[in-house]
Amino acid sequence: MEFRRYVREHLPALEVLREDEIVEELAQHLEDVYRDGVAAGLDHDAAWARATAALPNAVDELAAALRTASRSPAGRARDATLVRLNEPPRSFGGSMITGLRRDLRYALRTIFREPGFTAVVVITLALGIGGTTTAYSAIDAILLRSAQVFDPDRVVNAYMLYAARATANPAAGDQVGNASYLDYEDLRNSNVLDGLAAFSGISLTLDMNGTPERIDGQVVTGNFFDVLGVPAAVGRTLSPDDDRAGSPVRVAVLAYGTWQRRFGSDPTVVGRSVSLNGNLYTVIGVARRGFGGPELGDAAEVWVPMALQPEVRPPSAGALRLRFPDMRMLQARDVRWLSMVGRLRQGSSVAQSAAAIDVVGRRLQNAYPDSNRDLSATVLPLGEGPGLRREARPLLRLLGVAVLLVLLIACANVASLLLARAVTRQREVAVRIAIGAGRGQLVGQWLTESIVLGLLGSVAALLVAYLAIPVLHGFLVSVGVNLSLNLRVLAFTIAIGVTAGLIFGLAPVVQVLRPEALTALRDEGGTVASGVRATRARSAFVVVQVALSLVLLVGAGLFLRTLQQAYAVDLGYRLDRMLIATIEPGDRYQPAAGQAFYTEVLNRLNALPGVAAAGAARVTVLSGAARTMAVSIDGRPVQPDRSNVIPVRANVVSDRYLEAMGIPILMGRSFQPTDLATSQRVVIVSRSLASRLWPNADPIGKTLISSTPLVVVGVVPDTVYRRTTDRQVLPVFYLPLSQNYEAAVSLHIRTAGEPMALLPAVRRIVSDLDPQIALVRPRLLEDEFSRSLVGERAMVQFVGGLSFIALLLAAVGLYGVMAYATRQRTPEIGVRLALGASPKSILSMIVLRGLRLVVVGGALGLAAAAVAVRSVRTFLFGVEPTDPMTWTAVIVTLTFVALAACIIPARRAMRIDPVRALRNS
Amino acid sequence: MAAHNEIKRGSAELMVLAAIERRARHGYEIAKLIDDRSGGVLRFHIASLYPMLYRMERRGWIEGKWIEKTGQRRRRYYRLKPEGRKVLAHQRSTWRELLSALQRVAGLEPGR
């Protein structure tokens, strides 16, 4: 009895139902030790000492072990809650953490013991996960990241809605477009939305230290920041009081980045004056960090009130400037230049608001039949209208699928490698289990190891992504889209690494822990049997890898052909040695003075030595800009319901433009200095337009009816207007600059030698005539052409890169399986060789075996690719998804790579020394 | 004795199962039996014995029952269950293999 008390006093509470029994059992053990001591001749104290010494010093550990041992985890939990006395809570989980630490240490040891193996695995994972990370960073930046506004889900874009028949291209359906200020006011006052603001992007000249610089900004209504819920980081943002028509206040809000970069984060920036477009503005605050505007990609540096429109956003088209000598566009209902953004009412959905605002729009239609004909209004969720998100979505979806395929291939490779290694560890496993290691323990250890490998792969993947992201930037050119690796992308990468580790870690675990594995010690056949099963699994992996690689290869091939075709199109003009620079006389010139300015500049340019011809044009081809006008096809004026028009691309050009571009005159004449503003209005049409309007007749002298009647004086060949890969190829016509004043034009200068060498001379000519006018964005036409195809090029780079990686991984996987199988069969091969088989037959046997895998994988891949290419049709140009050249090239490439992967182990097999092989078996 | 710890840990279950192969015994008896048979080389302490017994009991290899024999206080006797017999046989064969392999490799004939 004494021992029971002793045990209780010294052993911590066990909190299990059986505690009394355990205590009694332990006490009996001690008592037995005591009795034996006494029986052996010891006195009471000595025997007592011996008995109590039997209870270890580390009673806590004993208690923990007793707890764990006597009840299952569920039972323990139940006991603990049932028997809970006033004991202070113990720190449990100590045993769990030490277990994890031990597994980690073991995993790291194994990993560093086999650096070659680890390196291969990590590199494979880096390629697979790296691609995924890169694609995800783009998806995150474009599709997932919300605008930096308050509660972005309740913010919507509002648009004017043009009925299809009223657009330049009725086949495309209803189009959304900008609003005029008066329409905006009516929509705002209708209160369909809880706040509606208008804004437009502007370009301002900021003069900080005497050096003027063009910056991007937005002119906004006073309620802009309120509606969006964007707070100020310093000072305050605009309020409706700052935007009073009639008493405009020159205030400005800076963007956070601008405040950091240009103003050095000056805490006293509020109240400072800055010069914008030659006027002094007072800075009233800095917007919250990260806000550049409501649209994806907006990177405004400054916001100014709408009331200041005349001085920050004067009309650009010459006709408008004639109409508004004071530059005020806000009073015109038919001048549509504003974007709108608003907030949904409480309890109102997007659909409801769209319907309600449509009603308002129709009311305006009835109230103003001339300016609002065929117009209504609508709302769309923020970012869902025309813009980067809508354009990029199909591409990002494609990329997402492609990188997933590569990730699968990479995981298959790693699983295959781990499987191969697990088979060699079989014996070790069996012995460890036999001498008492728990199965769970082993599984935990291996999973820890594969998760660590996965994490290492993730880290390496971040490096790969860091290098790959600039390639994506080539396509998503907008500077406001930040593709860098933020925390979300980081977390995503780590998660993928861990998940991949679990997935490919399970394969060998499942394989080796089967009961048969435990009999491995008993007979050799055990290892071979599971080795065979492993090889079968690995072969299946290879088949899948080949199939997936083939899909990617076909994609890459089609995109390559698209790029090829895009370059092959005959543009209709010459790209070489063409210098382009924009000049903007802007609001300081009345049309007459402006025309005189242009004429003088062009005369001086044409007189420059080294200039073959110089012209000017409103629209630079291949730059993405376009002006589209409606042309009547039946000789009648343009009908109100637009039933008799076709859309036509237009350009306003000087008289030597066509000559400078190398566009020949097919019929009639080019523009001449005699085509003045006061004489008959003329036009030059492209050949397709001429044959469309006047088939089988001489177009010269005919009248073309657009917004005004125009007399055709010349015909030129069809040329590429915006992009060689444009789906919608419209006919083109040209208007003379002398009859259609533009506030800004681009000089097009064809030079005899190196174009950039003439740039200083061109600059001097312009600045001699007006020092305030700068040459904006001097560039080469051939660079514009390259830029127009940047999307197609990026697709080739990205998908091409991915398919290369995929093919490489698949080849490595195939090689691995073939090499292993060959090694396994070395005795058999030795026998064959000894019996007289020719080395060549061995070679072909191995190669054929490998090719069999490739053929199966290839067949699967071709079937999958045939289905998959249908969905990439929208990205292709000039090629059908079934393009035979692509498919043939892909099959040939695959065969070649597969042969290479098989031949290396096959050659080794060929050279097996039969004697040595037989001796070793 | 540190060198023996590894081996002891791995072979503990085998020894305990073997100890109760013929008849049921209680904890102290098992420890004493192993101590005697091994000539004092393999000794079981309370800290390792009872947790192991409870664990094996939970796994269904052995069954512990309080039995009161005439003239003695009640004790907990452990007997081998069918599952335990299977495990004992399996572990025996594994150890035989290992030992014979070690013999061949490391030359373990007694007396060398």
Side-chain angles (χ1 to χ4, degrees), chain A residues 390-680:
Chain A
R390 186 192 272 188
E391 282 166 26
R393 189 175 272 139
L395 176 79
L396 288 175
R397 233 178 272 157
L398 183 71
L399 281 183
V401 169
V403 295
L404 225 66
L405 291 182
V406 175
L407 182 62
L408 283 175
I409 295 179
C411 282
N413 252 9
V414 176
S416 192
L417 286 168
L418 289 178
L419 209 56
R421 189 175 66 167
V423 170
T424 63
R425 281 178 165 180
Q426 206 121 299
R427 215 168 263 263
E428 171 204 334
V429 167
V431 169
R432 287 176 64 195
I433 288 185
I435 61 173
R439 225 171 282 210
Q441 207 179 42
L442 277 177
V443 170
Q445 213 161 64
W446 281 352
L447 282 184
T448 308
E449 199 181 315
S450 48
I451 290 180
V452 169
L453 281 174
L455 282 173
L456 284 177
S458 282
V459 169
L462 288 173
L463 185 66
V464 170
Y466 183 76
L467 297 170
I469 280 179
V471 174
L472 261 192
H473 251 296
F475 177 76
L476 305 156
V477 246
S478 178
V479 69
V481 179
N482 182 13
L483 287 184
S484 61
L485 302 166
N486 64 10
L487 263 141
R488 224 188 343 236
V489 175
L490 211 72
F492 174 80
T493 309
I494 304 279
I496 292 259
V498 169
T499 313
L502 275 171
I503 293 177
F504 60 66
L506 279 176
V509 162
V510 160
Q511 173 70 25
V512 175
L513 282 189
R514 295 202 192 174
E516 299 83 50
L518 299 177
T519 64
L521 273 184
R522 190 117 21 111
D523 58 286
E524 183 69 34
T527 322
V528 172
S530 48
V532 163
R533 198 176 306 116
T535 308
R536 258 205 291 261
R538 294 177 70 196
S539 304
F541 286 148
V542 169
V543 166
V544 168
Q545 286 174 324
V546 168
L548 294 178
S549 307
L550 202 126
V551 174
L552 283 173
L553 276 173
V554 170
L558 287 174
F559 290 134
L560 190 61
R561 288 274 287 144
T562 295
L563 189 65
Q564 204 182 35
Q565 296 288 76
Y567 273 103
V569 171
D570 178 18
L571 297 165
Y573 39 77
R574 286 168 39 211
L575 287 176
D576 58 303
R577 295 197 298 262
M578 170 70 82
L579 174 64
I580 302 179
T582 308
I583 52 176
E584 301 177 35
D587 54 340
R588 290 174 31 252
Y589 280 71
Q590 291 299 313
Q595 293 282 20
F597 176 73
Y598 290 146
T599 313
E600 188 55 31
V601 168
L602 288 171
N603 285 342
R604 292 198 191 183
L605 283 174
N606 276 303
L608 260 187
V611 170
R618 177 71 180 96
V619 175
T620 308
V621 291
L622 302 172
S623 67
R627 185 176 282 188
T628 313
M629 299 177 65
V631 169
S632 151
I633 46 172
D634 59 3
R636 294 181 296 145
V638 173
Q639 296 299 304
D641 60 0
R642 306 289 193 113
S643 54
N644 65 335
V645 302
I646 52 170
V648 176
R649 300 275 191 220
N651 203 353
V652 176
V653 302
S654 73
D655 38 345
R656 289 192 75 180
Y657 169 80
L658 294 171
E659 179 191 339
M661 289 290 279
I663 301 175
I665 306 284
L666 296 174
M667 290 197 261
R669 62 172 179 83
S670 176
F671 295 132
Q672 283 157 7
T674 48
D675 295 314
L676 294 170
T678 46
S679 40
Q680 187 179 59

Side-chain angles (χ1 to χ4, degrees), chain A residues 17 43 45 85 90 144 176 188 421 583 607 811 884:
Chain A
L17 287 176
D43 66 352
D45 288 317
L85 298 169
R90 242 160 256 290
L144 298 182
V176 295
R188 181 192 65 200
R421 189 175 66 167
I583 52 176

Side-chain angles (χ1 to χ4, degrees), chain B residues 7-31:
Chain B
I7 313 242
K8 246 183 70 180
R9 239 196 304 257
S11 58
E13 284 174 357
L14 174 61
M15 288 193 280
V16 169
L17 290 174
I20 54 177
E21 186 180 15
R22 299 256 178 73
R23 65 179 181 85
R25 300 178 198 272
H26 60 83
Y28 185 71
E29 218 182 328
I30 295 173

Side-chain angles (χ1 to χ4, degrees), chain B residues 71-90:
Chain B
Q72 296 177 10
R73 57 190 199 288
R74 69 169 196 165
R75 298 184 95 86
R76 200 139 198 273
Y77 278 83
Y78 295 93
R79 69 170 190 86
L80 206 54
K81 289 179 76 173
E83 176 71 24
R85 271 186 211 281
K86 258 192 257 173
V87 173
L88 173 60
H90 180 254

